[in-house]
Amino acid sequence: MARKALKLASWTGMALAASGVYLYSNNYLDPNDFGAVRVGRAVATTAVISYDYLTSLKSVPYGSEEYLQVRSQIQDLFLSFDDTPLGAASLAQVHKAVLRDGRTVAVKVQHPKVQAQSSKDILLMEVLVLAVKQLFPEFEFMWLVDEAKKNLPLELDFLNEGRNAEKVARMLKHFDFLKVPQIYWELSTKRVLLMEFVEGGQVNDRDYMERNRIDVNEISRQLGKMYSEMIFVNGFVHCDPHPGNVLVRKHPDTGKTEIVLLDHGLYQVLTEEFRLDYCHLWQSLIWPNMEKVKWYSQRLGAAELYPLFACMLTARSWDSVNRGISKAPVTCTEDSEIRSSVANYLPQISQLLSHVPRQMLLILKTNDLLRSIEATLGTRASASSFLNMSRCCVRALAEHKKKNASSFLRRTQISFSKALNLWQIDLHELGLRAKGWRLACWVSALLCWLFPIPH
């Protein structure tokens, strides 16, 4: 019996440890099921419709007076309401409905027992983490509990989610490829969110993209631009980009490709100090400068584990980081090496995650989910995506310097320097494209010589 208990405790410890692993840990856990926030939702709740202003339809006996009353109330609000949800998760589920004025809406409704269950889940998680700590002192995962306590109440407030949606839509309005569904405030509450209904395929659905002639490389580039802008420029980051929350579509009127961003309950607000250090760190990783990689990694709490931290951020080996992550793509050998090394570094990863700023935890999770999408689409971060990140870093650092500049001349110098840096990046990207074009022409000429077209 003791041996079984120890085996169970060991398994639990490894499961909790794996939740903090961001070096391609998708082999161990579904990205939608791990992370500081998701762990707190271990106990599934009954999937039923729930409103602040309506009793759950499925919680009352079918055909009873109460059932008929609730059904009548729903019919007063909606011309039609699909009982079968479009999607369901641990917190809520989404139904398609049509309002009396003809608008088609998505109705996000919170599961009725989530509010009461969430505190129990966090308590259970805290007990498990403490138990793991007793059995395996080298694992530090109390930060999971702290993050769950902080973030879960925010996710349970759907009015907060609506405000986040409108904020990010304003911030990124210059991206014509981004669609954030409109919120209908007059029918929304803390546990019910009504929004514009937008159809599309999941961002990892290659078949859908091929059927609708959507370029996967274009989607990958746009996704990278959008998140680079959030992280480096605005410091307001959507932290749950799993495929169910990121849709793609052709606009029904213009035919242009769009990314539809859903589920705005979980955002990370970055402090200016953190954001600027993070900008400097990524600049040092893209344009390799190991001294600065070490300096800014340590400023972000990595201490002497900065090589591991750099590898976790980039999902590249230390050799690749030293050579420059934009110099060469990930090889199968490197990918396999990273995956096989994860288990060996669990104690160090645990130690690192317990010391980095809390803001870093959801950023790491976001990075991991984005890489999962890239891996599925076969568009692993390219030189172009790194250059887009670098542009955002240049702009963010320049704006910070201008804000603190004391004279018009100094602000002009900063603006000129920013323009020069952006121009250099454009030139570098143009050179990469020309190099690729020359290579393509050479290969084409070689093929024509080897296999001439018959006359």
Side-chain angles (χ1 to χ4, degrees):
M1 185 68 182
R3 187 174 297 137
K4 287 184 178 179
L6 183 59
K7 185 177 180 181
L8 177 61
S10 176
W11 182 90
T12 304
M14 289 301 292
L16 285 169
S19 70
V21 177
Y22 296 94
L23 285 173
Y24 287 92
S25 55
N26 296 346
N27 278 1
Y28 304 91
L29 289 172
D30 185 308
N32 190 33
D33 294 330
F34 74 87
V37 176
R38 298 290 178 189
V39 174
R41 307 186 206 143
V43 182
T45 57
T46 307
V48 295
I49 302 171
S50 172
Y51 298 90
D52 277 357
Y53 47 89
L54 292 179
T55 308
S56 170
L57 189 60
K58 293 183 180 179
S59 67
V60 297
Y62 179 82
S64 67
E65 183 178 347
E66 186 182 2
Y67 179 94
L68 295 174
Q69 181 183 4
V70 171
R71 191 66 185 173
S72 173
Q73 288 176 305
I74 288 180
Q75 288 171 350
D76 288 342
L77 286 169
F78 303 104
L79 194 63
S80 67
F81 189 100
D82 292 350
D83 288 339
T84 303
L86 297 169
S90 54
L91 283 185
Q93 59 194 48
V94 179
H95 296 259
K96 183 179 180 180
V98 179
L99 296 175
R100 284 288 169 182
D101 61 9
R103 288 178 294 177
T104 302
V105 296
V107 186
K108 182 175 181 178
V109 290
Q110 197 172 110
H111 298 327
K113 297 181 181 180
V114 167
Q115 293 276 355
Q117 189 66 49
S118 61
S119 58
K120 297 176 185 176
D121 290 345
I122 291 175
L123 178 61
L124 175 61
M125 185 171 109
E126 191 166 8
V127 170
L128 285 172
V129 168
L130 289 172
V132 170
K133 176 65 177 174
Q134 293 299 315
L135 290 169
F136 306 99
E138 66 272 23
F139 289 112
E140 293 280 353
F141 282 101
M142 189 52 67
W143 55 268
L144 282 170
V145 180
D146 295 336
E147 286 300 296
K149 286 179 177 177
K150 181 183 75 176
N151 291 311
L152 192 53
L154 295 175
E155 286 199 87
L156 291 173
D157 182 357
F158 287 176
L159 295 178
N160 178 66
E161 177 177 342
R163 289 190 291 269
N164 287 342
E166 290 191 339
K167 182 175 180 179
V168 79
R170 288 193 303 270
M171 281 183 171
L172 304 182
K173 63 183 179 182
H174 56 287
F175 288 146
D176 59 359
F177 60 79
L178 175 63
K179 172 67 177 176
V180 178
Q182 179 184 350
I183 305 298
Y184 298 130
W185 292 107
E186 68 274 15
L187 291 172
S188 296
T189 73
K190 280 194 171 186
R191 294 196 295 162
V192 184
L193 191 65
L194 263 74
M195 67 200 93
E196 176 186 4
F197 180 78
V198 182
E199 289 187 286
Q202 289 193 3
V203 71
N204 63 344
D205 189 343
R206 288 187 66 104
D207 292 338
Y208 173 88
M209 295 191 204
E210 288 175 6
R211 289 196 307 271
N212 290 274
R213 297 181 179 179
I214 295 174
D215 184 352
V216 295
N217 292 297
E218 180 187 3
I219 291 296
S220 186
R221 284 193 300 272
Q222 290 173 342
L223 202 59
K225 283 183 182 179
M226 186 172 74
Y227 271 88
S228 292
E229 192 84 8
M230 286 187 204
I231 294 170
F232 300 115
V233 178
N234 295 305
F236 186 68
V237 189
H238 179 280
C239 288
D240 206 5
H242 72 77
N245 290 339
V246 185
L247 306 181
V248 294
R249 69 166 188 169
K250 290 277 190 178
H251 191 282
D253 298 325
T254 65
K256 291 185 66 175
T257 300
E258 286 187 330
I259 292 177
V260 183
L261 194 60
L262 306 175
D263 197 343
H264 300 271
L266 185 58
Y267 271 76
Q268 180 64 272
V269 180
L270 308 180
T271 65
E272 185 170 67
E273 181 182 8
F274 176 93
R275 181 173 61 85
L276 295 174
D277 283 342
Y278 198 58
C279 281
H280 281 297
L281 176 56
W282 269 103
Q283 285 287 71
S284 305
L285 289 165
I286 294 168
W287 311 101
N289 184 326
M290 289 302 103
E291 287 186 8
K292 288 187 176 181
V293 167
K294 178 180 179 180
W295 170 254
Y296 287 106
S297 294
Q298 291 181 336
R299 277 184 60 86
L300 290 168
E304 294 309 309
L305 292 174
Y306 71 91
L308 176 61
F309 184 57
C311 293
M312 289 171 66
L313 280 178
T314 60
R316 300 295 298 268
S317 68
W318 181 238
D319 285 342
S320 294
V321 171
N322 274 279
R323 289 197 303 268
I325 56 174
S326 61
K327 302 296 182 184
V330 181
T331 64
C332 292
T333 303
E334 183 182 1
D335 202 26
S336 177
E337 176 190 339
I338 292 170
R339 292 180 185 277
S340 62
S341 298
V342 169
N344 297 329
Y345 287 99
L346 280 179
Q348 291 88 344
I349 291 171
S350 168
Q351 180 185 346
L352 183 59
L353 293 178
S354 68
H355 286 92
V356 296
R358 302 300 88 183
Q359 300 165 83
M360 182 61 71
L361 300 175
L362 288 179
I363 294 294
L364 285 168
K365 175 194 173 186
T366 302
N367 288 347
D368 189 74
L369 291 175
L370 290 172
R371 288 194 194 104
S372 174
I373 292 171
E374 289 175 345
T376 304
L377 296 179
T379 58
R380 287 287 300 278
S382 61
S384 178
S385 65
F386 287 128
L387 294 178
N388 283 326
M389 291 173 68
S390 188
R391 288 186 180 96
C392 285
C393 291
V394 167
R395 286 167 46 216
L397 293 170
E399 287 306 309
H400 173 70
K401 290 176 183 175
K402 283 175 68 176
K403 188 171 67 173
N404 293 293
S406 57
S407 67
F408 174 77
L409 177 61
R410 176 59 182 150
R411 287 192 291 272
T412 303
Q413 289 175 334
I414 293 167
S415 295
F416 179 77
S417 178
K418 179 184 77 171
L420 181 62
N421 286 332
L422 293 175
W423 180 72
Q424 287 175 330
I425 294 173
D426 290 342
L427 261 181
H428 182 73
E429 186 170 30
L430 187 63
L432 291 175
R433 289 180 180 176
K435 183 179 178 181
W437 181 79
R438 288 196 301 271
L439 178 62
C441 289
W442 182 84
V443 170
S444 176
L446 179 62
L447 289 173
C448 288
W449 179 72
L450 292 173
F451 307 101
I453 299 173
H455 297 286

